[in-house]
């Protein structure tokens, strides 16, 4: 039976023992895709970044290594945020980034309206949300759209080649990178994870 990725109870049980885990690709690999867009939007200013479903990833540390500390990491499971703080403190000796309990499908109510971000990122969080259906993913997309500054964008790493094929999506969607999945045998077919760049319409 597939895991209940859309249910908070699944994540609470998982994070009770999980210390760190990277979905789909290492943070280093994901950051190599993000970085050109990060540099383009910074241009002498500090970018404000929102990471959705931060889980037990160390992606936030890669932003901090590049001088970005205005990073808000959200997850609806408090245990995940505690793991995130521990991961940051282990790497830097202190905690300077934000860790906020919020539901990626309810950003309108969980994140103040005045909080806007230059970049929103997620590493398979949209995949987990989509397990609850198209309506949940559209709520996520709507919340992201409302919290982006003018000229901001969303970068999403997904296992699906059609994750954002939604007719009412308030974004223009572009696949900017594909990451090959590991093969068990050389004869296995080529399968790729997709990295999407979503710009508001």
């Amino acid at each position: 039976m597939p895991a209940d990725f859309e249910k908070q109870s699944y994540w609470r049980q998982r994070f009770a023992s999980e210390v760190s885990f990277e979905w789909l690709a290492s943070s280093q690999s994901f950051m190599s895709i993000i970085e050109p867009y990060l540099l383009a939007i910074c241009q002498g200013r500090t970018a404000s970044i929102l990471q959705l479903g931060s889980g037990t990833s160390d992606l936030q540390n890669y932003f901090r290594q590049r001088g970005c500390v205005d990073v808000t990491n959200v997850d609806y499971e408090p245990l995940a945020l505690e793991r995130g703080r521990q991961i940051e403190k282990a790497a830097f000796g202190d905690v300077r980034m934000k860790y906020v309990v919020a539901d990626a499908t309810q950003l309108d109510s969980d994140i103040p309206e005045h909080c806007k971000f230059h970049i929103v990122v997620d590493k398979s969080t949209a995949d987990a949300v989509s397990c609850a259906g198209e309506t949940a993913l559209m709520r996520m997309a709507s919340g992201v759209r409302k919290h982006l500054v003018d000229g901001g964008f969303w970068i999403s790493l997904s296992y699906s080649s059609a994750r954002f094929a939604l007719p009412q999506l308030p974004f223009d969607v572009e696949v900017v990178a594909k990451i090959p999945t590991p093969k068990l045998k050389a004869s296995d077919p080529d399968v790729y994870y997709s990295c999407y760049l979503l710009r508001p319409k």
Side-chain angles (χ1 to χ4, degrees), residues 4-21:
D4 294 321
F5 291 130
E6 79 281 12
K7 294 183 179 178
Q8 189 171 2
S9 57
Y10 166 82
W11 297 105
R12 182 178 299 114
Q13 182 177 2
R14 179 176 178 134
F15 293 143
S17 58
E18 181 179 283
V19 176
S20 65
F21 185 82

Side-chain angles (χ1 to χ4, degrees), residues 101-103 105-113 143 146-147:
V101 176
D103 186 331
T105 68
Q106 299 180 33
L107 295 177
D108 290 349
S109 59
D110 288 356
I111 301 291
E113 186 176 352
K146 290 176 182 177
H147 285 87

Side-chain angles (χ1 to χ4, degrees), residues 58-91:
D58 64 356
L59 180 61
Q60 67 272 17
N61 285 2
Y62 284 81
F63 286 115
R64 182 166 171 179
Q65 286 170 3
R66 286 154 178 79
C68 300
V69 292
D70 188 4
V71 179
T72 301
N73 303 285
V74 305
D75 203 290
Y76 66 2
E77 177 47 55
L79 276 173
L81 300 172
E82 183 55 36
R83 298 282 187 260
R85 292 186 191 95
Q86 292 168 357
I87 289 168
E88 183 184 358
K89 188 169 185 179

Side-chain angles (χ1 to χ4, degrees), residues 129-195:
V129 167
S130 71
C131 292
E134 184 176 305
T135 299
L137 186 56
M138 283 296 297
R139 284 201 308 267
M140 179 182 182
S142 176
V144 170
R145 174 66 186 88
K146 290 176 182 177
H147 285 87
L148 282 172
V149 301
D150 291 342
F153 50 82
W154 176 13
I155 297 179
S156 179
L157 183 61
S158 172
Y159 67 77
S160 172
S161 61
R163 174 55 61 225
F164 296 102
L166 303 173
Q168 302 301 317
L169 193 74
F171 291 92
D172 291 320
V173 182
E174 177 185 0
V175 176
V176 293
K178 291 187 175 182
I179 299 175
T181 63
K183 292 186 178 186
L184 295 178
K185 299 180 296 184
S187 58
D188 287 346
D190 292 331
V191 179
Y192 297 89
Y193 301 134
S194 297
C195 186

